[in-house]
Amino acid sequence: ETMLQQTRVETVVPYYERFLERFPDVYALASADSDDVFGQWAGLGYYSRARNLQAAAREVVDRFDGRLPGDADALRSLPGIGRYTAGAVASIAFDRPEPLVDGNVARVLARLLGIREDIKQTKVVQRLWEEASALVTGPRPGDFNQSLMELGATLCTPRSPGCETCPLRRRCDAYRAGDAAALPVKSRGKPPRAVSAAAGWIMRRGQVLAVRRPAGGLMGGLWELPGGDCEAREKPDAALRRALREGLGLTVQGIQPAGHVKHVFTHRTLRLHVFRCNEARGRVRRQGFDAHRWLAPRGLAALPHGGATQKALSLLDVSPRE
């Protein structure tokens, strides 16, 4: 359930299998090095999920003697587990009559019940959960919840819903009204904010400098090339010099542009300018980074890192097997 947040099933399956092979039980995950956990997660994105999953494993060991609780309220007390995940785990794994509402379920219920208001409104969200709670009171709640999700994934799809073969069409308000494809009503979110940043490939005595972001926030706990965001009307090379001076206490010489990469996050679009730096003077004094390492050129590619860093390393023609 944690891996499936914001990620499709077919993408998750191989990661799930490798993750369980590496961490076969809650004790193995709780005691693992965080870099190892991020390394197994690399490629799935939304890395806060991995950080929260390990934090939850540690609480399960400390608070629940290594046994995941089956009660939804207890599950929601664990890091990273919200209302949906608690309902899914409680109903599917423990056969508890707990509701769940994800995108598929919300779409099914909006069409079935003829809800023609913005499903992002608080009152509509609350109604969807109330309706889901009323429906899941019968036998086999886990199977029921999974059937709702599967219906939304296979027939009651966002576009071109398969109404003629849907088993609920005779009870469906949207089918009778002929407007299933127009539901659910959703307000448009804000477009991603454009952000520019600069990063440097800094070599010293045959080794490259890597830094790790703090655990909290975007890409927390992941390794990357040192640098920072560009300020308003600041040129990328000037931004890199400033960021390295302020964040690491380093002065760089011989900056050469290697190109730029683009990476889209949920709420922002990043344009990352990448530079090769021939010389860096000073001793590393971190401000805003959690850790740093001087590594062999291929070493950073072997550490857990995010999509933007992967693109930067590809631009620099660096890989773990270099």
Side-chain angles (χ1 to χ4, degrees), residues 10 25 35 43 51 66 76-78 85 140-141 170 195 204 206 210 217 223 248 250 260 278 281 289 303 313 319:
E10 55 268 29
D25 56 43
D35 278 351
R51 183 168 59 250
R76 290 180 68 179
S77 73
L78 297 172
T85 301
R140 298 165 62 188
R170 289 187 175 85
V195 176
R204 177 181 286 179
W223 292 85
L248 294 170
L250 296 178
H260 68 270
N278 295 333
R281 297 177 181 176
F289 295 107
L303 291 174
L313 295 177
S319 73

Side-chain angles (χ1 to χ4, degrees), residues 98-119:
E98 293 288 346
L100 59 79
V101 177
D102 68 351
N104 286 324
V105 172
R107 184 167 58 255
V108 170
L109 293 179
R111 290 171 174 171
L112 182 67
L113 302 172
I115 298 174
R116 293 174 174 81
E117 297 176 275
D118 184 356
I119 63 168

Side-chain angles (χ1 to χ4, degrees), residues 19-20 22-33 36-37 53-54 56-68:
F19 199 86
L20 285 188
R22 178 64 184 85
F23 310 114
D25 56 43
V26 70
Y27 295 98
L29 179 57
S31 62
D33 183 272
D36 192 7
V37 175
L53 187 62
Q54 185 176 38
R58 289 170 175 166
E59 290 202 19
V60 168
V61 170
D62 293 340
R63 293 170 50 200
F64 299 103
D65 297 323
R67 295 183 63 85
L68 191 70

Side-chain angles (χ1 to χ4, degrees), residues 165-208:
T165 56
C166 178
L168 299 182
R169 65 185 182 278
R170 289 187 175 85
R171 301 184 180 184
C172 180
D173 184 280
Y175 176 70
R176 290 193 298 268
D179 63 350
L183 298 179
V185 177
K186 290 183 180 179
S187 58
R188 291 187 178 183
K190 294 181 180 179
R193 179 171 61 94
V195 176
S196 292
W201 178 263
I202 302 173
M203 297 291 295
R204 177 181 286 179
R205 292 189 289 274
Q207 294 185 313
V208 66

Side-chain angles (χ1 to χ4, degrees), residues 41-313:
W41 199 274
L44 273 177
Y46 300 95
Y47 287 88
S48 61
R49 297 181 296 171
R51 183 168 59 250
N52 285 331
L53 187 62
Q54 185 176 38
R58 289 170 175 166
E59 290 202 19
V60 168
V61 170
D62 293 340
R63 293 170 50 200
F64 299 103
D65 297 323
R67 295 183 63 85
L68 191 70
D71 178 74
D73 288 337
L75 286 167
R76 290 180 68 179
S77 73
L78 297 172
I81 296 185
R83 192 174 186 181
Y84 163 78
T85 301
V89 173
S91 63
I92 297 170
F94 296 98
D95 209 33
R96 302 289 181 88
E98 293 288 346
L100 59 79
V101 177
D102 68 351
N104 286 324
V105 172
R107 184 167 58 255
V108 170
L109 293 179
R111 290 171 174 171
L112 182 67
L113 302 172
I115 298 174
R116 293 174 174 81
E117 297 176 275
D118 184 356
I119 63 168
K120 294 182 180 180
Q121 292 183 30
T122 301
K123 66 176 184 179
V124 178
V125 172
Q126 182 60 32
R127 182 185 172 187
L128 291 171
W129 278 95
E130 290 172 354
E131 298 287 356
S133 182
L135 290 170
V136 78
T137 55
R140 298 165 62 188
D143 288 349
F144 177 81
N145 279 337
Q146 290 183 88
S147 73
L148 274 183
M149 292 188 287
E150 190 72 4
L151 182 65
T154 59
L155 285 179
C156 198
T157 51
R159 289 174 290 277
S160 302
C163 296
E164 294 303 325
T165 56
C166 178
L168 299 182
R169 65 185 182 278
R170 289 187 175 85
R171 301 184 180 184
C172 180
D173 184 280
Y175 176 70
R176 290 193 298 268
D179 63 350
L183 298 179
V185 177
K186 290 183 180 179
S187 58
R188 291 187 178 183
K190 294 181 180 179
R193 179 171 61 94
V195 176
S196 292
W201 178 263
I202 302 173
M203 297 291 295
R204 177 181 286 179
R205 292 189 289 274
Q207 294 185 313
V208 66
L209 179 61
V211 293
R212 186 171 68 192
R213 298 175 71 95
L218 184 67
M219 310 299 286
L222 298 182
W223 292 85
E224 63 184 13
L225 296 172
D229 288 349
C230 300
E231 295 180 351
R233 292 184 290 278
E234 186 178 31
K235 293 183 178 181
D237 59 339
L240 179 61
R241 295 179 189 276
R242 174 187 53 76
L244 294 176
R245 184 177 62 252
E246 295 174 353
L248 294 170
L250 296 178
T251 301
V252 292
Q253 305 292 331
I255 292 181
Q256 298 176 351
H260 68 270
V261 298
K262 181 179 178 182
H263 191 75
V264 179
F265 297 93
T266 305
H267 300 297
R268 68 182 200 169
T269 300
L270 172 66
R271 185 182 181 93
L272 180 64
H273 300 268
V274 184
F275 296 88
R276 293 183 182 272
C277 305
N278 295 333
E279 183 181 350
R281 297 177 181 176
R283 182 178 179 181
V284 174
R285 297 187 300 275
R286 297 191 309 270
Q287 293 288 335
F289 295 107
D290 186 56
H292 76 278
R293 294 183 189 176
W294 291 96
L295 305 158
R298 65 180 179 274
L300 173 56
L303 291 174
H305 56 271
T309 298
Q310 179 59 52
K311 292 176 181 178
L313 295 177

